[in-house]
């Protein structure tokens, strides 16, 4: 039996390099990349993508759309790690744990859009609670997140590790125009009917994310207790290989969250912190922006697609 051919288009970017390194251990796959002198050659790229079984696109949005448009071989299956197709109805969203049928949808899909790093945490927290009615669809979500600078790609790594790294700030909040490209993705796949606030930041550490969403008691479903938010998440992800929910007792004695805690893994750790007297709840997610937030999710989706073929 011939080994499946997997073409990585954009293997020299931060996500592409991570995927290439991970797949190097898969002896049952043929990994295909283009040499440096051919990476911008449209004809060679089109030939490579049409000769593969699975294409993983680690490209800017415009280049990803061009790569998809160049596909004429109906047997080619695609995982797009850019944000170009994450809200397209004819693409399957590659967050396998978002509901109990999503992994099966990914397994049979021709086109899978890999989730964004920040949306992985936000959707992972919000979607189960919205579907259970513990939060209303018009919940006014305000999402704060801090990522390691590798989330900015090569530019971020150069800014903090290159020759001009000394003046780089310890923390920089961005997206102040409130038009970050992840907002439509978060709104659509979480099930929010109202546009969420999203306030991202980069910290002076290479990788890792901590994301948080505050909830006041009045926004929790009528008659529900704050502890039910934790129980809902725990039930939703029970038995999951990659997503875990911190026990409430553990959360109540935790003094801080380290965004780097799960670096080098493909795990997503969710937690619920509460203040019983006020009824306020803090929902949090910690994960590696290059793991479950990018390359890890792409490899997980590839494994599902190969198993479903």
């Amino acid at each position: 039996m011939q080994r499946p051919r997997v073409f990585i288009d954009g293997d020299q970017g931060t996500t592409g390099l991570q995927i290439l390194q991970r797949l190097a251990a898969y002896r049952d796959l043929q990994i295909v990349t283009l040499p440096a002198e051919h990476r911008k050659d449209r004809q060679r790229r089109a030939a490579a993508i049409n000769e593969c079984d699975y294409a993983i696109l680690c490209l800017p949005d415009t280049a990803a759309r061009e790569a998809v448009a160049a596909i004429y071989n109906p047997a080619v299956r695609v995982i797009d790690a850019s944000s170009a197709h994450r809200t397209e109805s004819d693409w399957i969203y590659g967050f396998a744990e978002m509901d109990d049928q999503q992994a099966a949808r990914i397994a049979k899909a021709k086109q899978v859009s890999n989730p964004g790093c920040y949306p992985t945490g936000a959707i992972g927290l919000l979607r189960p609670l919205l579907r259970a009615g513990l939060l209303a669809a018009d919940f006014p979500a305000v999402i704060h997140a801090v990522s390691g600078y590798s989330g900015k790609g090569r530019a971020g790594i150069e800014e903090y590790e290159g020759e001009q790294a000394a003046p780089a700030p310890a923390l920089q909040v961005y997206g102040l125009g409130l038009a970050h490209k992840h907002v439509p993705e978060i709104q659509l796949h979480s099930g929010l009917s109202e546009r969420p606030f999203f306030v991202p930041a980069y910290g002076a550490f290479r990788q890792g994310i901590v994301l948080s969403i505050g909830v006041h008691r009045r926004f929790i479903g009528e008659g529900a207790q704050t502890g039910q938010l934790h129980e809902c998440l725990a039930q939703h992800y029970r038995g999951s290989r990659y997503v875990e929910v911190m026990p409430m007792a553990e959360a109540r004695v935790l003094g801080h969250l380290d965004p780097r805690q799960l670096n080098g893994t493909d795990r997503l750790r969710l937690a619920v912190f509460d203040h019983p007297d006020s009824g306020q709840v803090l929902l949090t997610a910690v994960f590696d922006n290059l793991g479950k937030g990018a390359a890890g999710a792409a490899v997980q989706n590839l494994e599902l697609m190969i198993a479903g073929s």
Side-chain angles (χ1 to χ4, degrees):
M1 182 177 177
Q2 188 174 8
R3 294 179 298 162
R5 287 172 60 88
V6 180
F7 171 47
I8 305 174
D9 196 354
D11 61 289
Q12 293 305 301
T14 51
T15 298
L17 281 169
Q18 286 271 328
I19 293 172
L20 186 61
Q21 291 167 7
R22 289 162 184 260
L23 294 184
Y26 287 61
R27 301 304 179 191
D28 54 346
L29 300 178
Q30 298 180 68
I31 308 303
V32 180
T33 61
L34 290 176
E37 64 270 23
H38 296 156
R39 286 181 194 137
K40 295 185 179 181
D41 185 320
R42 290 190 178 185
Q43 288 186 326
R44 291 183 183 274
R45 290 176 60 217
I49 201 169
N50 282 286
E51 291 168 1
C52 74
D53 299 295
Y54 302 90
I56 304 178
L57 309 180
C58 305
L59 303 166
D61 288 5
T62 299
R65 293 188 184 98
E66 290 174 354
V68 171
I71 298 173
Y72 55 79
N73 181 353
V76 175
R77 303 173 72 187
V78 182
I79 298 170
D80 182 10
S82 82
S83 61
H85 300 102
R86 291 176 185 157
T87 58
E88 298 291 331
S89 60
D90 55 343
W91 285 69
I92 298 300
Y93 193 59
F95 190 172
E97 298 84 5
M98 64 190 286
D99 64 45
D100 57 6
Q101 297 299 315
Q102 198 66 10
R105 296 186 190 104
I106 293 167
K108 297 299 182 184
K110 296 282 289 185
Q111 299 176 315
V112 173
S113 58
N114 219 49
C117 54
Y118 293 125
T120 296
I123 295 163
L125 289 166
L126 290 170
R127 184 180 174 93
L129 302 179
L130 287 161
R131 288 172 67 88
L134 291 171
L135 295 178
D138 62 354
F139 169 65
V142 180
I143 303 161
H144 295 266
V146 181
S147 170
Y149 53 78
S150 61
K152 199 175 181 179
R154 281 185 161 186
I157 293 173
E158 182 64 26
E159 182 179 357
Y160 281 87
E161 298 180 9
E163 294 180 359
Q164 303 300 316
L171 180 73
Q172 46 184 314
V173 177
Y174 65 105
L176 302 180
L178 304 180
H180 194 283
K181 66 180 182 179
H182 285 328
V183 171
E185 178 185 352
I186 293 171
Q187 181 177 351
L188 175 65
H189 295 294
S190 66
L192 289 167
S193 62
E194 302 293 329
R195 182 181 177 88
F197 274 93
F198 176 51
V199 186
Y202 290 126
F205 53 96
R206 199 174 206 274
Q207 63 197 79
I209 287 178
V210 61
L211 178 146
S212 61
I213 305 169
V215 182
H216 289 276
R217 190 204 306 267
R218 67 179 181 275
F219 294 116
I220 301 173
E222 187 175 352
Q225 303 298 313
T226 58
Q228 288 178 253
L229 276 67
H230 176 272
E231 182 59 24
C232 175
L233 293 173
Q235 286 288 346
H236 182 88
Y237 295 109
R238 182 156 287 141
S240 171
R241 178 180 174 187
Y242 295 110
V243 185
E244 60 191 70
V245 181
M246 185 185 298
M248 286 288 283
E250 185 178 336
R252 286 187 174 124
V253 298
L254 196 64
H256 69 277
L257 288 173
D258 183 349
R260 304 164 299 177
Q261 189 172 31
L262 296 180
N263 282 1
T265 79
D266 295 334
R267 289 154 54 204
L268 167 65
R269 179 174 294 155
L270 308 179
V272 178
F273 301 87
D274 68 344
H275 187 266
D277 292 342
S278 68
Q280 290 178 318
V281 172
L282 184 67
L283 309 172
T284 68
V286 173
F287 55 107
D288 185 347
N289 59 292
L290 298 179
K292 184 60 172 168
V299 173
Q300 180 186 2
N301 288 327
L302 178 64
E303 290 176 344
L304 287 169
M305 294 168 77
I306 291 173
S309 62

